[in-house]
């Protein structure tokens, strides 16, 4: 799950990139409103973590601008703990959640998973498709009750497909979701990961749709 972080505090931003990275998110990070605008256009982000006090403007104004443009990406605001007005303005302005600074990284991570679930129309943190279950909080995959060990990117691909059963995701869309800006994408990386997933799960779970991409098979 690829997310965009907009935070001008270097220490906090680096900490978020590292910490959320360890929790399995692909993280792109910027430090200004201008870079956030460019960043949103450049990537297929599943959610945005947005600071309010930014050097070239307010995160609240940026939020309002995005919502006015029809940007529907879930947005979590980082607010100063004592400013209730920021939280109210943020939620009324189209934010989906907020977290007061200072906060615990594991709470931010859990809140992001909850936001992403809701934006996918799910209430529960487990995806079940027949014999296959994906526990998002633990990033654990089970097939017929047996845990399957997946690499980080294998998990990201399987999760992206399983979160939208029946939808086709193209190779480019999958690359977009599993690699951040800083990362070099090997030319056939998605194919290699799909191949490994099929070796671990069985061939039938992921269907190739010729000329279009991949989708989770209806079993
Ligand atoms: Ca700030």
């Amino acid at each position: 799950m690829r997310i965009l972080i907009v935070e001008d505090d270097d220490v906090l931003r680096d900490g978020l990139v590292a910490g959320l990275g360890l929790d399995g998110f692909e993280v792109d990070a910027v430090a200004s409103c201008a870079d956030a605008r460019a960043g949103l256009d450049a990537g297929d982000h599943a959610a945005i973590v947005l600071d309010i006090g930014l050097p070239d403007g307010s995160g609240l104004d940026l939020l309002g601008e995005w919502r006015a443009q029809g940007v529907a990406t879930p947005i979590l605001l980082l607010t100063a703990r004592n400013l209730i007005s920021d939280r109210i303005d943020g939620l009324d302005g189209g934010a989906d959640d907020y977290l007061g600074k200072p906060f615990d990284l594991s709470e931010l991570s859990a809140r992001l998973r909850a936001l992403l679930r809701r934006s996918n129309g799910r209430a529960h943190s487990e995806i079940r498709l027949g014999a296959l279950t994906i526990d998002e909080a633990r990033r654990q995959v089970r097939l017929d009750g047996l845990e399957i060990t997946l690499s980080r990117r294998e998990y990201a691909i399987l999760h992206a497909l399983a979160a939208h059963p029946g939808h086709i995701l193209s190779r480019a869309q999958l690359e977009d979701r599993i690699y951040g800006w800083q990362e070099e994408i090997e030319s056939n990386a998605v194919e290699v990961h799909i191949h490994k997933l099929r070796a671990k799960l069985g061939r039938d779970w992921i269907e190739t749709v010729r000329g279009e991409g991949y989708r989770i098979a209806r079993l």
Side-chain angles (χ1 to χ4, degrees), residues 34-63:
D35 287 346
R37 286 186 191 98
L40 188 73
D41 292 339
D44 181 12
H45 298 105
I48 301 167
V49 176
L50 179 60
D51 185 31
I52 292 181
L54 292 164
D56 56 346
S58 158
L60 288 172
D61 292 340
L62 188 57
L63 168 71

Side-chain angles (χ1 to χ4, degrees), residues 1 3 16 20 23 25 46-50 73-79 81 87 91 95-120 122-125 136-138:
M1 289 175 284
I3 57 169
L16 290 176
L20 292 176
D23 273 355
F25 293 96
I48 301 167
V49 176
L50 179 60
T73 312
I75 295 178
L76 184 147
L77 281 178
L78 298 180
T79 67
R81 190 171 282 289
R87 301 177 189 175
L91 291 170
D96 299 272
D97 200 359
Y98 67 82
L99 202 51
K101 293 180 185 178
F103 53 83
D104 192 275
L105 187 72
S106 55
E107 182 177 3
L108 175 61
S109 188
R111 283 179 181 273
L112 283 172
R113 285 193 297 272
L115 276 187
L116 295 169
R117 248 183 354 251
R118 287 203 294 275
S119 74
N120 287 331
R122 288 183 294 116
H124 200 262
S125 68
E136 292 180 325
R138 295 186 183 81

Side-chain angles (χ1 to χ4, degrees), residues 7-8 51 53:
E7 169 59 65
D8 61 321
D51 185 31

